[in-house]
Amino acid sequence: MGQRYPVSFFHGSNLGFVRARCIVRQRALATRRGIDVYRQVPDVKQLQKKSINLGLAPRVPLSIESKGRLPILTRIFGFGHIVAFPRRVSFEAVKLKGEFENRMAQQSSNGNRPKLSEKGLLTPDNCVVALIDHQGQMLFGTSNFDRQGIINNTVAFGKAARVFDVPVVLTTVETKSFSGNMWPQLRAVFPGREPIERSSMNSWDDKNFVAAIEKSGRKKILIAGLWTETCVALPTVQALHDGYEVYVVEDCCGDVSQLAHDNAMKRVLQAGAKPVTSLSVLLEWQRDWAHKGTYDAVMDIVKNHYGAYGIGVEYVYTMVHGAPATKFPEYAVPELAGAHK
């Protein structure tokens, strides 16, 4: 085995697979976006002073190993090295799938994440979230889904919107006279935000709600609320009529019976809405695990809210990759409130 020299290579198609081939030549040649970029390497020892870097991110170090007379490029994790190779080599990185340049050419308004391609999909830059009537009295009357599950999923969905900087419109109906406050768990996700108060069961009849949707400038609306047959179905049908594309986040909705919920979903689907879940939207916004700017926040939501999926992530992190266990806030027994002394 010969000397080892540090080198880094471009790596980054959709699933992170790059084929690269080494050919013995008089110079180091890197192919970047179809344009030849040259770096003369009269002696391989120069690689000790300067690594070959194609200047595109994300980068994963690779290594070259000598196999007979032909150097073979293989992907490794950790620092890349050139091992026992001829004095002069050239490198050509060839993406197997997708166009990385198209994926990274534009950055979204959030510097932590790239701008995603649309082509019929949801992205953080093309949609607005509407959370409708997640209030105590509305949950009391819900019986088709597990109510704790609805709370969990709605909070997770709200957190996802925060992570990806998606505009959110909060609204409540008849808070003081009937429905009660928006759940405190959900209010905690949006501190300082006051929901738009309404008297109308149909939020699309409320000019302040519609104005908030219009202000976002988005034509795709993700709607979730209680109850499905009224507070979700009515604004969905009318938003579709007004030219919006509506997605109903079904696991954040609920109704007084399974029949009522099912009929409401049939109605909105026949009108042109699309059913999704909080988890499917979270993953559609993330889209690529190479997007590290939002990766940890997404995994935090998964581990806190998505049951077996989250436990599976924790298991792989700790048992397979040897990462330290996730630390959750330690429980402290609340002190007796003054009102109860």
Side-chain angles (χ1 to χ4, degrees):
M1 194 68 75
Q3 293 185 0
R4 303 171 74 85
Y5 301 96
V7 62
S8 63
F9 269 84
F10 165 65
H11 165 77
S13 58
N14 285 346
L15 293 178
F17 294 102
V18 171
R19 180 183 66 202
R21 58 180 182 267
C22 280
I23 307 169
V24 177
R25 287 184 184 169
Q26 297 299 312
R27 66 188 176 201
L29 169 65
T31 300
R32 179 179 184 264
R33 300 181 185 176
I35 302 173
D36 289 345
V37 181
Y38 301 94
R39 281 194 174 87
Q40 295 291 339
V41 186
D43 192 299
V44 296
K45 290 184 179 180
Q46 288 189 13
L47 292 175
Q48 291 177 301
K49 301 178 181 179
K50 181 183 293 186
S51 66
I52 300 174
N53 183 348
L54 302 191
L56 290 174
R59 294 188 296 272
V60 170
L62 305 173
S63 73
I64 295 175
E65 297 177 0
S66 178
K67 184 175 182 181
R69 299 188 59 162
L70 177 65
I72 305 297
L73 184 63
T74 59
R75 177 177 179 224
I76 64 170
F77 292 96
F79 291 104
H81 293 89
I82 293 179
V83 182
F85 59 95
R87 289 177 61 83
R88 294 179 178 86
V89 298
S90 70
F91 310 99
E92 181 183 15
V94 183
K95 296 190 293 289
L96 285 182
K97 55 184 287 191
E99 283 296 331
F100 183 77
E101 293 85 352
N102 292 339
R103 186 159 62 98
M104 297 298 291
Q106 292 181 304
Q107 293 295 316
S108 71
S109 58
N110 180 346
N112 287 335
R113 55 179 173 80
K115 186 176 178 64
L116 302 178
S117 64
E118 294 192 30
K119 297 181 180 179
L121 297 181
L122 293 166
T123 78
D125 299 304
N126 71 6
C127 58
V128 57
V129 168
L131 299 179
I132 302 172
D133 303 348
H134 290 99
Q135 299 164 265
Q137 188 66 255
M138 307 305 293
L139 191 64
F140 297 160
T142 299
S143 65
N144 66 306
F145 290 150
D146 173 64
R147 283 171 281 194
Q148 181 59 45
I150 297 173
I151 296 172
N152 174 75
N153 299 334
T154 306
V155 170
F157 183 45
K159 289 181 178 180
R162 287 284 309 277
V163 167
F164 289 95
D165 286 339
V166 177
V168 177
V169 178
L170 306 175
T171 186
T172 50
V173 63
E174 292 293 346
T175 296
K176 294 188 181 298
S177 63
F178 180 77
S179 300
N181 296 321
M182 179 173 281
W183 308 331
Q185 299 95 320
L186 189 56
R187 290 294 298 267
V189 179
F190 303 100
R193 292 279 304 276
E194 288 299 323
I196 296 169
E197 180 70 7
R198 314 180 330 273
S199 62
S200 170
M201 289 180 284
N202 175 16
S203 56
W204 211 253
D205 284 337
D206 187 274
K207 63 180 182 180
N208 294 323
F209 177 84
V210 175
I213 296 293
E214 291 174 344
K215 184 179 178 181
S216 73
R218 314 291 177 88
K219 296 300 288 184
K220 297 176 187 284
I221 311 174
L222 288 153
I223 287 183
L226 303 176
W227 297 321
T228 322
E229 63 182 346
T230 304
C231 304
V232 171
L234 301 188
T236 294
V237 170
Q238 291 199 319
L240 289 165
H241 181 272
D242 287 348
Y244 287 87
E245 189 174 337
V246 181
Y247 297 75
V248 176
V249 189
E250 190 172 359
D251 62 338
C252 301
C253 301
D255 216 318
V256 296
S257 69
Q258 190 65 54
L259 177 63
H261 175 81
D262 290 346
N263 281 349
M265 290 303 300
K266 291 175 184 176
R267 182 181 183 185
V268 298
L269 296 184
Q270 288 171 0
K274 301 173 177 64
V276 292
T277 67
S278 57
L279 180 58
S280 76
V281 174
L282 173 67
L283 299 180
E284 195 164 341
W285 284 342
Q286 175 66 23
R287 195 83 65 83
D288 190 330
W289 296 124
H291 299 164
K292 299 304 182 185
T294 50
Y295 178 88
D296 288 339
V298 168
M299 287 295 99
D300 180 72
I301 294 173
V302 166
K303 287 187 281 188
N304 276 280
H305 295 282
Y306 289 113
Y309 180 20
I311 292 297
V313 169
E314 179 72 9
Y315 178 87
V316 170
Y317 276 16
T318 56
M319 306 306 294
V320 177
H321 298 295
T326 300
K327 289 189 177 296
F328 289 92
E330 295 181 359
Y331 177 72
V333 178
E335 295 183 4
L336 184 61
H340 301 289
K341 291 182 180 178

